[in-house]
Amino acid sequence: MCGIIAYSGHREAYPVIIKGLKRLEYRGYDSAGVAIFNQDLQVYKKKGRVSDLDAYAQGQDLHGTVGIGHTRWATHGEPNDVNAHPHYSQSKNIVLIHNGIIENYASIKQDLLNKGYSFHSETDSEVLVNFIEDVQQNVGCSLVEAVRLALQKVVGAYAIVIISKDNPGQMIAARKGSPLVIGIGEREFFVASDATPIIEYTNEVVYLDDQELAVIEDGELHIKSLDSIEKTPYIHKLDLELDAIEKGGFEHFMLKEIFEQPKSVSDSMRGRINSTEGTLLLGGLIEYINRLVSADRIIILGCGTSWHAGLVAEYIFEELARVPVEVEYASEFRYRNPIIRENDVVIAISQSGETADTLAAIELAKSKGAIIFGVCNVVGASIPRVTHAGAYIHAGPEIGVASTKAFTGQLSILMMMALMIAHRKGTITESRYRKLLVELEQIPAKIEQCLALNAQTQYIAEVFKDVRNFLYLGRGYNFPVALEGALKLKEISYIHAEGYPAAEMKHGPIALIDEEMPVVFIAPHDSSYEKIVSNIQEVKARKGRVIAIVNEGDTVIKNLVDFSIEIPYTSEELTPLLSVIPLQLLAYHIAVMRGCDVDRPRNLAKSVTVE
Ligand code: M6R
């Protein structure tokens, strides 16, 4: 949940670290800090954004070619200067940055208190750095060995980087459950939570595995397991352009990412679909395709937006592939004792590939013998590394905290999976299969048409920007889109918003309707059209104000509602790929008009690596 960047090489470390922290700020932004080694360890940390840290650090001695930096999303202790990372050990010989949670920190802390240690912060991370120092003093070993021994006793998740006064040229990193990537340049190394701060310096990276410890020293990288088994670093070549992680002229990453969707959805299909030849191939699934085709049941796991994509998939898989589907919040699934049978398969959806609840749910399902397929965006993240097979969505880096292009990428992949299974099972006709392939290929161009609605959406946002509540209603494939529209609005504008199946309105939410309550209906011309027209009439009869997402040329709904937004026609199963676009734009514009920090909404972080 926090962002980590460390540098060791021939450059000045501070500029590399500050720039890296800005790139990682999406992971957490309540405080930030750096430690630079220059004859001694200098630590500067500050509550607030990376820019606050940078302003504070100016004028201080920032020289040094080895350093570590951290941007925090608070878990233990409120966001303030003291709880910010890096943390010193008691002797001030060691400094540490940490992403994750040390679950047994309280008992370790008590032991250290009994030995006379004192603590300045409320963090589990300060406990860890002191624990390492204590182990080193007791055992009389090297710092690397002390880190290894200490981590063997730690319960929880961590990605850590450590530097020390006694070993000025040495940097130690380790991970379990939280990501770490090591960039390898010319006589220089970078360690980071993801590749975004590294890419402008090198495209050669090593992904550290769980329970591995890396030591950078004398221009060399050595990796070993916590059991002391030496590992040969496997160097990956990154396929990531710098443009992809910059705003490229857009005011916010979120807007850039909304507008990237024609390309990102097209990229999700590239080399996989050929409607002329009627072929569809997700290469990553081939090895296990028979398990998918013969599955008695599919269980879909995810959180937030990824869970919403899973809900759309439930409708699609059941309709096309005629297989029962259950969609589970990973955060609930993992704490139950779920029933997994021999012929069940699990699909885990995650943009980041790091969500702690989804990872834990996967481990649980695996322990019960399930085959797990991953649908992820971040290449090399933890989830794709623990699943049996899967497909990347290839949306490119999603930096805005509100997920947008990942959602449409996930839908595209899930639709292709459903079609692949349905075609092999023979549960759809050849003509319907072919038609859906053609429609899918046309989606990027139709998203482009939806994006042309930006100015109209902005106008509607102006009308509703000051309301306190919003209701989103949809049916069938568009019920999950109603949930997603409400989530987008609440997370970035802080307006209370609820999504419901439109037919459920009469069972409770209708009591909320009055002239103050805007209701967004997702109402394309599909099999529920007449029903949803009735629902709109019920809202209008109670003086609710209605914004409707309709198909081009719709006149019936247009005449009933206050505002209508017209999206192109596509097959019913594919409408979520289009209907979500104006909802993303609406949430974006309302949030901007309310002065909210769209890319870094309060209390949130991009990857939720805590439970
Ligand atoms: O990286 P993941 O897809 O696993 O993340 C899941 C949720 O944390 C994420 O979708 C979250 O709800 C977003 N802020 C939604 O915009």
Side-chain angles (χ1 to χ4, degrees), residues 478 522-530 532-533 549-557 567-572 575:
N478 282 298
I522 301 119
H525 211 288
D526 60 16
S527 53
S528 331
Y529 184 75
E530 273 75 30
I532 214 155
V533 169
I549 313 297
V550 296
N551 276 132
E552 283 165 346
D554 186 302
T555 49
V556 177
I557 292 182
I567 60 170
Y569 275 92
T570 185
S571 291
E572 186 164 351
T575 48

Side-chain angles (χ1 to χ4, degrees), residues 552-568:
E552 283 165 346
D554 186 302
T555 49
V556 177
I557 292 182
K558 206 170 171 178
N559 288 331
L560 277 177
V561 302
D562 302 76
F563 298 95
S564 60
I565 299 174
E566 297 185 24
I567 60 170

Side-chain angles (χ1 to χ4, degrees), residues 18 21 32-34 44-46 49-57:
I18 279 292
L21 287 179
V34 294
Y44 306 105
K45 46 192 200 173
K46 204 77 202 135
R49 300 289 161 92
V50 175
S51 53
D52 298 318
L53 167 70
D54 196 21
Y56 166 73

Side-chain angles (χ1 to χ4, degrees), residues 28-72:
Y29 34 82
D30 55 42
S31 59
V34 294
I36 306 287
F37 183 83
N38 180 15
Q39 321 228 326
D40 201 353
L41 290 170
Q42 307 292 346
V43 172
Y44 306 105
K45 46 192 200 173
K46 204 77 202 135
K47 177 180 173 183
R49 300 289 161 92
V50 175
S51 53
D52 298 318
L53 167 70
D54 196 21
Y56 166 73
Q58 289 312 317
Q60 318 264 15
D61 178 9
L62 298 171
H63 291 299
T65 56
V66 176
I68 57 179
H70 186 273
T71 179
R72 178 170 186 250

Side-chain angles (χ1 to χ4, degrees), residues 289-356:
I289 190 69
N290 292 338
R291 285 296 298 267
L292 269 171
V293 168
S294 62
D296 287 338
R297 184 174 65 144
I298 292 177
I299 298 168
I300 299 183
L301 303 173
C303 299
T305 290
S306 296
W307 182 75
H308 296 157
L311 286 181
V312 177
E314 178 179 22
Y315 285 82
I316 293 174
F317 276 87
E318 292 195 345
E319 167 67 20
L320 301 180
R322 304 302 300 142
V323 54
V325 177
E326 281 169 30
V327 188
E328 303 265 3
Y329 282 118
S331 52
E332 284 296 314
F333 180 86
R334 59 174 295 200
Y335 293 112
R336 294 210 318 268
N337 184 10
I339 296 164
I340 309 237
R341 298 186 207 96
E342 208 184 326
N343 257 0
D344 291 342
V345 302
V346 169
I347 300 175
I349 308 173
S350 174
Q351 185 286 130
S352 61
E354 298 293 345
T355 300

Side-chain angles (χ1 to χ4, degrees), residues 89-90 109 112-113 115-121 126 130:
S89 63
Q90 181 119 311
K109 185 173 184 177
L112 293 172
L113 285 168
K115 289 179 175 178
Y117 280 80
S118 55
F119 294 88
H120 306 280
S121 76
E126 192 189 9
N130 280 301

